[in-house]
Amino acid sequence: QAPLVESGGGSVQSGGSLRLSCETHDYRFRGYCMAWFREAPGKEREGVARLDLDGSFDYVADTVKGRFTASLDSAKTTLNLQMNNLIPEDTATYYCAAIYCQTWTSAFLGRGTQVTVSS
């Protein structure tokens, strides 16, 4: 079973909302920060949001600030990304990852889920 499995992607109109989830199936993620990245065609991968070692939401990119929120469920097995007021520029493949906190380097990366926002 893949260690990180994203779900919840889809197509919405501008102004809509989506909630992405990432199931973690591997105890090795303890000791890592957890993050959401996105990658759009022709653009560099962007770090969108991060949870620190104790699961607290401690970073969000300026491009999504005020619209996206990351969280971890109480069992610390499901990472969520609530995305509100989506705009076409949010169209990308979204990945969850276990990362090294200091460098944002991915130790484990999910397969991704596609989000498409139409105007």
Side-chain angles (χ1 to χ4, degrees):
Q1 193 171 23
L4 293 171
V5 181
E6 302 95 337
S7 63
S11 298
V12 295
Q13 290 191 327
S14 185
S17 298
L18 283 173
R19 183 178 179 86
L20 305 183
S21 294
C22 176
E23 299 290 334
T24 63
H25 297 286
D26 196 314
Y27 71 94
R28 291 177 290 172
F29 301 136
R30 301 172 190 173
Y32 294 95
C33 288
M34 300 299 294
W36 285 98
F37 291 90
R38 68 183 182 183
E39 192 167 329
K43 295 185 178 181
E44 291 187 357
R45 184 175 295 173
E46 177 186 17
V48 174
R50 191 185 86 164
L51 301 174
D52 66 13
L53 290 172
D54 66 6
S56 298
F57 177 37
D58 73 346
Y59 171 84
V60 66
D62 288 342
T63 51
V64 303
K65 191 170 291 183
R67 301 186 297 119
F68 289 14
T69 304
S71 62
L72 195 63
D73 73 341
S74 58
K76 296 190 177 181
T77 59
T78 303
L79 177 66
N80 299 301
L81 183 67
Q82 179 66 41
M83 306 186 296
N84 298 325
N85 195 21
L86 285 159
I87 60 178
E89 289 76 13
D90 295 321
T91 296
T93 301
Y94 285 72
Y95 301 88
C96 69
I99 63 170
Y100 297 100
C101 302
Q102 297 296 324
T103 64
W104 277 76
T105 303
S106 296
F108 302 93
L109 186 69
R111 296 174 183 173
T113 185
Q114 179 66 36
V115 171
T116 302
V117 185
S118 58
S119 58

